[in-house]
Amino acid sequence: MTGDRRPTLGDLALEVRSKNAGPFWVTMELFMRDAEGYAIVADEGFINGQVIARLYALVPADVRIFRIPALHVVKVSFPRPTPQGGPLDRDIHAGQHHVPLAALAP
């Protein structure tokens, strides 16, 4: 990190990734380095359905969040904006969906 920039989730995490979870869902995973980082992303006041809905133009009720404290992992799943492999699908593996989440600063 340089300058006065606040650290992002991408900076704090060991890895932030996204992948398809079948043809109709995307899953993103935040693998945090330690319990301190996990506490940040597991906080329901920070990562919740409304935040994810705002980042990805979704309905909050469609967002599923799974917190796994033993692994320091938070998983977020939501319906794909277009079915995998459909004519409007620009990321068949959903490999780039994590970028807005990784850029989020606590």
Side-chain angles (χ1 to χ4, degrees):
M1 290 178 286
T2 60
D4 294 328
R5 182 177 73 83
R6 290 176 49 193
T8 65
L9 294 184
D11 296 326
L12 298 174
L14 183 62
E15 183 175 7
V16 181
R17 68 182 182 194
S18 55
K19 58 188 177 180
N20 61 5
F24 304 108
W25 284 80
V26 170
T27 291
M28 298 182 295
E29 299 163 327
L30 293 151
F31 293 88
M32 304 311 291
R33 296 178 190 281
D34 53 31
E36 184 180 340
Y38 175 76
I40 292 169
V41 298
D43 181 349
E44 292 182 26
F46 177 58
I47 297 289
N48 55 54
Q50 289 78 20
V51 169
I52 301 301
R54 186 181 74 243
L55 286 175
Y56 294 96
L58 303 167
V59 175
D62 290 343
V63 177
R64 305 288 182 261
I65 300 175
F66 307 92
R67 293 167 174 84
I68 309 167
L71 300 176
H72 299 155
V73 172
V74 172
K75 296 180 78 154
V76 177
S77 295
F78 54 83
R80 291 178 66 99
T82 186
Q84 179 186 19
L88 300 177
D89 186 9
R90 298 184 64 175
D91 185 2
I92 195 165
H93 298 292
Q96 300 302 312
H97 284 67
H98 70 282
V99 175
L101 183 60
L104 194 61

